[in-house]
Amino acid sequence: MQFDGEKIMIGGIAAAEIAERYGTPTYVYDEQKIRANYRRAYQAFAKHYPDFQFFYAVKCCNNPAIVNILRQEGAGADCASVNEILLAKSVGLSGEQVMFSGNFLSDADIQQGLESGVIFNLDDISILPRLLKFGTPEMISFRVNPGYGKSNVGEYVTNAGPGAKFGIHPDDVLKAYKMAKDAGIKRFGAHMMTGSCITDADYFPFITGLLMDIIGKVGRELQIDFEFIDLGGGLGIPYKPGEEALDLERAAEGTAKMFKEKCAEYGLKPPQLKMEPARYFVGNAGYLVGKVHAIKESYKKIIGTDIGMNVLCRPAMYGSYHHIYVDGKENHPRTALGLCGQLCENTDFWVKDRELPADMGEGDIVVVENAGAYGFGMSYQYNGRLRAAEVLVNNGESVLIRDRETFEDMVRHTHVPEYLAK
């Protein structure tokens, strides 16, 4: 995002022009920023460990256009469900370019996952016997919970450690791989959830060391080679003004050093190193453009916009921060204001006492920053308020990549029994 005077620009296009052409609310993604983010991260890690690959976590932003951008850059896909596998295959990714990292899988999930031919990454030892009833995959990976996790965006997204629902307890990891080996599986990988939105560069080599101490002992005792070790995602971005950004070079160098040292310590044949970030690629490349519709002077002044918790639910869900800009008024005097959406829930009052332009008025264009990660993908229908449009901008050009939902979309799959229609 840039400023042309006081005019907000996204990818060379005025936010007001986007609002006029596509309506509001609209998610806007800057293609060149996504590509630059990917290349910066890939070069940092591959420089220190050349046998390196990124998988993009599709759940973060699942628009096929976004997945295609990252596919073009060289990323595989990390998929949390069968439908995400289908999405990855629809853009040309298949087989070992796709990892299936679902949890608490149904039998139907397991069957379809096997039929898809992707890498199975099992979240728990209990899934393996169920999987083997339907077939024996060529390769298996287990998600390990190393006993420690960290998050910069709240306890609810601390995806490892004793309080997390993900991954196998360290005491059961050896048993899991022995079961897989005894079942005739020949090829192995390993995986963990690093954390969520980590901006501490030293955390990545630390958590890598924890995982490698677990996996190294397994490889040595069972005499198996790991074809890959996937460190998960967790590469963070700053959300608040003045927040320190991740020192990517330091994180990459320290992680690669720890990885190589642990491989040597346990006599592991050096595997491919994988990671599966998503927020780092798309988070700061996405913006949410909305409009002020009404202003209430009550116990406090409340700015009502078409950006509600159904459109961007992260603040209501776990108190996350997104910076807000007002087109044409960024240099105006400020005062503490609240901002809400149009839903009949008080949690929709998602910004309180934020310093915003004091003269905000009806019709103003509002731009929410860092909305590319877990924005549209977590949106939902409520109160008849429908999902936003999505737009891709690229060097001054824009294209619609998802239609705004309509009433017909809201009722498309409903059925009214004939006797009720009388």
CSV table of all heavy atoms in Angstrom, one decimal, residues 362-404:
chain,number,residue,atom,x,y,z
A,362,GLU,N,-19.9,9.7,6.8
A,362,GLU,CA,-20.6,8.7,5.9
A,362,GLU,C,-20.0,8.8,4.5
A,362,GLU,O,-19.7,9.9,4.0
A,362,GLU,CB,-22.1,9.0,5.9
A,362,GLU,CG,-22.7,8.8,7.2
A,362,GLU,CD,-24.2,9.1,7.2
A,362,GLU,OE1,-24.8,9.4,6.1
A,362,GLU,OE2,-24.8,9.1,8.3
A,363,GLY,N,-19.7,7.6,3.9
A,363,GLY,CA,-19.2,7.5,2.6
A,363,GLY,C,-17.7,7.4,2.6
A,363,GLY,O,-17.1,7.1,1.5
A,364,ASP,N,-17.0,7.6,3.7
A,364,ASP,CA,-15.5,7.5,3.7
A,364,ASP,C,-15.1,6.0,3.4
A,364,ASP,O,-15.8,5.1,3.8
A,364,ASP,CB,-15.0,7.8,5.1
A,364,ASP,CG,-14.9,9.3,5.3
A,364,ASP,OD1,-15.0,10.1,4.3
A,364,ASP,OD2,-14.6,9.8,6.4
A,365,ILE,N,-14.0,5.9,2.7
A,365,ILE,CA,-13.5,4.6,2.3
A,365,ILE,C,-12.5,4.2,3.4
A,365,ILE,O,-11.5,5.0,3.7
A,365,ILE,CB,-12.8,4.6,1.0
A,365,ILE,CG1,-13.8,5.0,-0.1
A,365,ILE,CG2,-12.1,3.3,0.7
A,365,ILE,CD1,-15.0,4.1,-0.2
A,366,VAL,N,-12.6,3.0,4.0
A,366,VAL,CA,-11.8,2.5,5.0
A,366,VAL,C,-11.0,1.3,4.4
A,366,VAL,O,-11.5,0.5,3.7
A,366,VAL,CB,-12.6,2.0,6.2
A,366,VAL,CG1,-11.8,1.3,7.3
A,366,VAL,CG2,-13.4,3.2,6.8
A,367,VAL,N,-9.7,1.3,4.7
A,367,VAL,CA,-8.8,0.2,4.3
A,367,VAL,C,-8.2,-0.5,5.5
A,367,VAL,O,-7.5,0.2,6.3
A,367,VAL,CB,-7.7,0.7,3.3
A,367,VAL,CG1,-6.8,-0.4,2.9
A,367,VAL,CG2,-8.3,1.4,2.1
A,368,VAL,N,-8.4,-1.8,5.6
A,368,VAL,CA,-7.8,-2.6,6.7
A,368,VAL,C,-6.6,-3.3,6.2
A,368,VAL,O,-6.6,-4.0,5.2
A,368,VAL,CB,-8.9,-3.6,7.2
A,368,VAL,CG1,-8.3,-4.4,8.4
A,368,VAL,CG2,-10.1,-2.8,7.7
A,369,GLU,N,-5.5,-3.1,6.9
A,369,GLU,CA,-4.2,-3.6,6.5
A,369,GLU,C,-4.0,-5.1,7.0
A,369,GLU,O,-4.7,-5.5,7.9
A,369,GLU,CB,-3.1,-2.7,7.1
A,369,GLU,CG,-1.7,-2.9,6.5
A,369,GLU,CD,-0.7,-2.0,7.2
A,369,GLU,OE1,-0.9,-1.7,8.4
A,369,GLU,OE2,0.1,-1.5,6.4
A,370,ASN,N,-3.1,-5.8,6.3
A,370,ASN,CA,-2.7,-7.2,6.7
A,370,ASN,C,-3.9,-8.1,6.8
A,370,ASN,O,-4.1,-8.9,7.7
A,370,ASN,CB,-2.0,-7.1,8.1
A,370,ASN,CG,-0.6,-6.4,8.0
A,370,ASN,OD1,0.1,-6.5,7.0
A,370,ASN,ND2,-0.3,-5.7,9.1
A,371,ALA,N,-4.7,-8.0,5.8
A,371,ALA,CA,-6.0,-8.8,5.7
A,371,ALA,C,-5.9,-10.0,4.8
A,371,ALA,O,-6.9,-10.7,4.6
A,371,ALA,CB,-7.1,-7.9,5.4
A,372,GLY,N,-4.7,-10.3,4.3
A,372,GLY,CA,-4.6,-11.4,3.3
A,372,GLY,C,-4.6,-12.7,3.9
A,372,GLY,O,-4.9,-13.7,3.2
A,373,ALA,N,-4.3,-12.9,5.2
A,373,ALA,CA,-4.2,-14.2,5.8
A,373,ALA,C,-5.4,-14.4,6.8
A,373,ALA,O,-5.6,-13.6,7.7
A,373,ALA,CB,-2.9,-14.3,6.6
A,374,TYR,N,-6.1,-15.4,6.5
A,374,TYR,CA,-7.3,-15.8,7.4
A,374,TYR,C,-8.3,-14.7,7.4
A,374,TYR,O,-8.9,-14.4,8.5
A,374,TYR,CB,-6.8,-16.2,8.8
A,374,TYR,CG,-5.7,-17.2,8.7
A,374,TYR,CD1,-4.3,-16.9,8.9
A,374,TYR,CD2,-6.0,-18.5,8.4
A,374,TYR,CE1,-3.3,-17.8,8.8
A,374,TYR,CE2,-5.0,-19.5,8.3
A,374,TYR,CZ,-3.7,-19.1,8.5
A,374,TYR,OH,-2.7,-20.0,8.4
A,375,GLY,N,-8.5,-14.1,6.3
A,375,GLY,CA,-9.5,-13.0,6.1
A,375,GLY,C,-10.7,-13.6,5.4
A,375,GLY,O,-11.7,-14.1,6.1
A,376,PHE,N,-10.7,-13.6,4.1
A,376,PHE,CA,-11.9,-14.2,3.4
A,376,PHE,C,-12.1,-15.6,3.8
A,376,PHE,O,-13.2,-16.1,3.9
A,376,PHE,CB,-11.7,-14.1,1.9
A,376,PHE,CG,-12.8,-14.6,1.1
A,376,PHE,CD1,-13.9,-13.7,0.7
A,376,PHE,CD2,-13.0,-15.9,0.8
A,376,PHE,CE1,-15.0,-14.2,0.1
A,376,PHE,CE2,-14.1,-16.4,0.2
A,376,PHE,CZ,-15.1,-15.6,-0.2
A,377,GLY,N,-11.0,-16.4,3.9
A,377,GLY,CA,-11.2,-17.8,4.2
A,377,GLY,C,-11.9,-18.1,5.5
A,377,GLY,O,-12.5,-19.2,5.6
A,378,MET,N,-12.0,-17.2,6.4
A,378,MET,CA,-12.7,-17.4,7.7
A,378,MET,C,-14.0,-16.6,7.7
A,378,MET,O,-14.7,-16.6,8.8
A,378,MET,CB,-11.8,-17.0,8.9
A,378,MET,CG,-10.6,-17.9,9.0
A,378,MET,SD,-9.4,-17.4,10.3
A,378,MET,CE,-10.4,-17.6,11.8
A,379,SER,N,-14.4,-16.0,6.6
A,379,SER,CA,-15.6,-15.2,6.6
A,379,SER,C,-16.8,-16.2,6.5
A,379,SER,O,-16.7,-17.3,6.1
A,379,SER,CB,-15.6,-14.2,5.5
A,379,SER,OG,-15.5,-14.8,4.2
A,380,TYR,N,-18.0,-15.6,6.7
A,380,TYR,CA,-19.2,-16.5,6.8
A,380,TYR,C,-20.4,-15.6,6.6
A,380,TYR,O,-20.4,-14.4,6.7
A,380,TYR,CB,-19.3,-17.3,8.1
A,380,TYR,CG,-19.2,-16.4,9.3
A,380,TYR,CD1,-20.4,-15.9,9.9
A,380,TYR,CD2,-18.0,-16.0,9.9
A,380,TYR,CE1,-20.3,-15.1,11.0
A,380,TYR,CE2,-18.0,-15.2,11.0
A,380,TYR,CZ,-19.1,-14.7,11.6
A,380,TYR,OH,-19.1,-13.9,12.7
A,381,GLN,N,-21.6,-16.3,6.3
A,381,GLN,CA,-22.9,-15.6,6.2
A,381,GLN,C,-23.5,-15.5,7.5
A,381,GLN,O,-23.6,-16.5,8.3
A,381,GLN,CB,-23.8,-16.4,5.3
A,381,GLN,CG,-23.3,-16.6,3.8
A,381,GLN,CD,-24.2,-17.4,3.0
A,381,GLN,OE1,-25.2,-18.0,3.5
A,381,GLN,NE2,-23.9,-17.6,1.7
A,382,TYR,N,-24.1,-14.4,7.9
A,382,TYR,CA,-24.8,-14.2,9.1
A,382,TYR,C,-25.7,-12.9,8.9
A,382,TYR,O,-25.2,-11.9,8.3
A,382,TYR,CB,-23.9,-14.1,10.3
A,382,TYR,CG,-24.6,-14.0,11.6
A,382,TYR,CD1,-25.6,-14.9,12.0
A,382,TYR,CD2,-24.3,-13.0,12.5
A,382,TYR,CE1,-26.3,-14.8,13.2
A,382,TYR,CE2,-25.0,-12.9,13.8
A,382,TYR,CZ,-26.0,-13.8,14.1
A,382,TYR,OH,-26.6,-13.7,15.3
A,383,ASN,N,-26.9,-12.9,9.5
A,383,ASN,CA,-27.8,-11.8,9.4
A,383,ASN,C,-28.1,-11.5,7.9
A,383,ASN,O,-28.4,-10.3,7.6
A,383,ASN,CB,-27.2,-10.6,10.0
A,383,ASN,CG,-27.4,-10.6,11.6
A,383,ASN,OD1,-27.0,-9.6,12.2
A,383,ASN,ND2,-27.9,-11.6,12.1
A,384,GLY,N,-27.9,-12.4,7.0
A,384,GLY,CA,-28.1,-12.1,5.6
A,384,GLY,C,-27.0,-11.2,5.0
A,384,GLY,O,-27.1,-10.8,3.9
A,385,ARG,N,-25.9,-11.0,5.8
A,385,ARG,CA,-24.8,-10.3,5.2
A,385,ARG,C,-23.8,-11.3,4.6
A,385,ARG,O,-23.4,-12.3,5.2
A,385,ARG,CB,-24.0,-9.6,6.4
A,385,ARG,CG,-24.8,-8.6,7.1
A,385,ARG,CD,-25.2,-7.4,6.3
A,385,ARG,NE,-26.0,-6.5,7.0
A,385,ARG,CZ,-26.5,-5.4,6.5
A,385,ARG,NH1,-26.3,-5.1,5.2
A,385,ARG,NH2,-27.3,-4.6,7.2
A,386,LEU,N,-23.5,-11.1,3.3
A,386,LEU,CA,-22.9,-12.1,2.5
A,386,LEU,C,-21.4,-11.9,2.3
A,386,LEU,O,-20.9,-10.8,2.7
A,386,LEU,CB,-23.6,-12.2,1.1
A,386,LEU,CG,-25.1,-12.4,1.2
A,386,LEU,CD1,-25.7,-12.4,-0.1
A,386,LEU,CD2,-25.4,-13.7,2.0
A,387,ARG,N,-20.7,-12.9,1.8
A,387,ARG,CA,-19.3,-12.8,1.7
A,387,ARG,C,-18.9,-11.8,0.6
A,387,ARG,O,-19.5,-11.5,-0.4
A,387,ARG,CB,-18.7,-14.2,1.3
A,387,ARG,CG,-18.8,-15.2,2.4
A,387,ARG,CD,-18.2,-16.5,2.0
A,387,ARG,NE,-18.4,-17.5,3.1
A,387,ARG,CZ,-19.4,-18.3,3.2
A,387,ARG,NH1,-20.4,-18.2,2.4
A,387,ARG,NH2,-19.5,-19.2,4.2
A,388,ALA,N,-17.7,-11.2,0.9
A,388,ALA,CA,-17.2,-10.1,0.1
A,388,ALA,C,-16.7,-10.6,-1.3
A,388,ALA,O,-16.5,-11.8,-1.5
A,388,ALA,CB,-16.0,-9.4,0.8
A,389,ALA,N,-16.4,-9.7,-2.2
A,389,ALA,CA,-15.7,-9.9,-3.4
A,389,ALA,C,-14.2,-10.0,-3.1
A,389,ALA,O,-13.7,-9.5,-2.1
A,389,ALA,CB,-16.0,-8.8,-4.4
A,390,GLU,N,-13.5,-10.6,-4.1
A,390,GLU,CA,-12.0,-10.6,-4.0
A,390,GLU,C,-11.5,-10.1,-5.4
A,390,GLU,O,-12.0,-10.5,-6.4
A,390,GLU,CB,-11.5,-12.0,-3.8
A,390,GLU,CG,-11.8,-12.5,-2.4
A,390,GLU,CD,-11.2,-13.9,-2.1
A,390,GLU,OE1,-11.6,-14.9,-2.8
A,390,GLU,OE2,-10.3,-14.0,-1.3
A,391,VAL,N,-10.4,-9.3,-5.3
A,391,VAL,CA,-9.8,-8.6,-6.4
A,391,VAL,C,-8.3,-8.8,-6.4
A,391,VAL,O,-7.7,-8.7,-5.3
A,391,VAL,CB,-10.2,-7.1,-6.5
A,391,VAL,CG1,-9.4,-6.3,-7.5
A,391,VAL,CG2,-11.7,-7.0,-6.7
A,392,LEU,N,-7.7,-9.0,-7.5
A,392,LEU,CA,-6.3,-9.1,-7.6
A,392,LEU,C,-5.8,-7.9,-8.4
A,392,LEU,O,-6.3,-7.6,-9.4
A,392,LEU,CB,-5.9,-10.4,-8.4
A,392,LEU,CG,-4.4,-10.7,-8.4
A,392,LEU,CD1,-3.8,-11.0,-7.1
A,392,LEU,CD2,-4.1,-11.8,-9.4
A,393,VAL,N,-4.8,-7.2,-7.8
A,393,VAL,CA,-4.2,-6.1,-8.5
A,393,VAL,C,-2.8,-6.4,-8.8
A,393,VAL,O,-2.1,-7.1,-8.1
A,393,VAL,CB,-4.2,-4.8,-7.6
A,393,VAL,CG1,-5.7,-4.4,-7.4
A,393,VAL,CG2,-3.5,-4.9,-6.3
A,394,ASN,N,-2.3,-5.9,-10.0
A,394,ASN,CA,-1.0,-6.2,-10.5
A,394,ASN,C,-0.5,-5.0,-11.3
A,394,ASN,O,-0.9,-4.8,-12.5
A,394,ASN,CB,-1.1,-7.5,-11.3
A,394,ASN,CG,0.3,-8.0,-11.8
A,394,ASN,OD1,1.3,-7.5,-11.3
A,394,ASN,ND2,0.3,-8.9,-12.8
A,395,ASN,N,0.4,-4.2,-10.7
A,395,ASN,CA,1.0,-3.1,-11.5
A,395,ASN,C,0.0,-2.2,-12.1
A,395,ASN,O,0.1,-1.9,-13.3
A,395,ASN,CB,2.0,-3.7,-12.5
A,395,ASN,CG,3.2,-4.3,-11.9
A,395,ASN,OD1,3.7,-3.9,-10.8
A,395,ASN,ND2,3.8,-5.3,-12.5
A,396,GLY,N,-1.0,-1.8,-11.4
A,396,GLY,CA,-1.9,-0.8,-11.9
A,396,GLY,C,-3.1,-1.4,-12.6
A,396,GLY,O,-4.0,-0.6,-13.1
A,397,GLU,N,-3.2,-2.7,-12.7
A,397,GLU,CA,-4.4,-3.4,-13.3
A,397,GLU,C,-5.1,-4.2,-12.2
A,397,GLU,O,-4.5,-4.6,-11.3
A,397,GLU,CB,-3.9,-4.3,-14.5
A,397,GLU,CG,-3.2,-3.6,-15.6
A,397,GLU,CD,-4.1,-2.7,-16.4
A,397,GLU,OE1,-5.3,-2.9,-16.4
A,397,GLU,OE2,-3.5,-1.7,-16.9
A,398,SER,N,-6.4,-4.4,-12.4
A,398,SER,CA,-7.1,-5.1,-11.4
A,398,SER,C,-8.1,-6.1,-12.2
A,398,SER,O,-8.5,-5.9,-13.3
A,398,SER,CB,-8.0,-4.2,-10.5
A,398,SER,OG,-9.0,-3.6,-11.3
A,399,VAL,N,-8.3,-7.2,-11.5
A,399,VAL,CA,-9.3,-8.2,-12.0
A,399,VAL,C,-10.0,-8.9,-10.9
A,399,VAL,O,-9.5,-9.1,-9.8
A,399,VAL,CB,-8.5,-9.3,-12.8
A,399,VAL,CG1,-7.5,-10.1,-11.9
A,399,VAL,CG2,-9.4,-10.3,-13.5
A,400,LEU,N,-11.3,-9.1,-11.1
A,400,LEU,CA,-12.1,-9.8,-10.1
A,400,LEU,C,-11.8,-11.3,-10.1
A,400,LEU,O,-11.8,-11.9,-11.1
A,400,LEU,CB,-13.6,-9.6,-10.5
A,400,LEU,CG,-14.7,-10.1,-9.5
A,400,LEU,CD1,-14.7,-9.3,-8.2
A,400,LEU,CD2,-16.1,-10.1,-10.2
A,401,ILE,N,-11.5,-11.8,-8.9
A,401,ILE,CA,-11.1,-13.2,-8.8
A,401,ILE,C,-12.1,-14.0,-7.9
A,401,ILE,O,-12.0,-15.2,-7.8
A,401,ILE,CB,-9.7,-13.4,-8.2
A,401,ILE,CG1,-9.5,-12.8,-6.9
A,401,ILE,CG2,-8.7,-12.9,-9.2
A,401,ILE,CD1,-8.1,-13.1,-6.2
A,402,ARG,N,-13.1,-13.3,-7.3
A,402,ARG,CA,-14.2,-14.0,-6.7
A,402,ARG,C,-15.4,-13.0,-6.7
A,402,ARG,O,-15.3,-11.9,-6.3
A,402,ARG,CB,-14.0,-14.4,-5.3
A,402,ARG,CG,-15.0,-15.4,-4.8
A,402,ARG,CD,-14.9,-15.7,-3.3
A,402,ARG,NE,-13.6,-16.3,-3.0
A,402,ARG,CZ,-13.3,-17.6,-2.9
A,402,ARG,NH1,-14.3,-18.5,-3.1
A,402,ARG,NH2,-12.1,-18.0,-2.5
A,403,ASP,N,-16.6,-13.5,-7.2
A,403,ASP,CA,-17.8,-12.7,-7.2
A,403,ASP,C,-18.3,-12.4,-5.8
A,403,ASP,O,-18.1,-13.3,-4.9
A,403,ASP,CB,-18.9,-13.4,-8.0
A,403,ASP,CG,-18.6,-13.5,-9.5
A,403,ASP,OD1,-17.8,-12.6,-10.0
A,403,ASP,OD2,-19.2,-14.4,-10.1
A,404,ARG,N,-18.8,-11.3,-5.6
A,404,ARG,CA,-19.5,-11.0,-4.4
A,404,ARG,C,-20.8,-11.9,-4.3
A,404,ARG,O,-21.4,-12.2,-5.3
A,404,ARG,CB,-20.0,-9.5,-4.3
A,404,ARG,CG,-20.6,-9.1,-3.0
A,404,ARG,CD,-21.0,-7.6,-3.1
A,404,ARG,NE,-19.9,-6.8,-3.5
A,404,ARG,CZ,-18.8,-6.5,-2.8
A,404,ARG,NH1,-18.8,-6.9,-1.5
A,404,ARG,NH2,-17.8,-5.8,-3.2
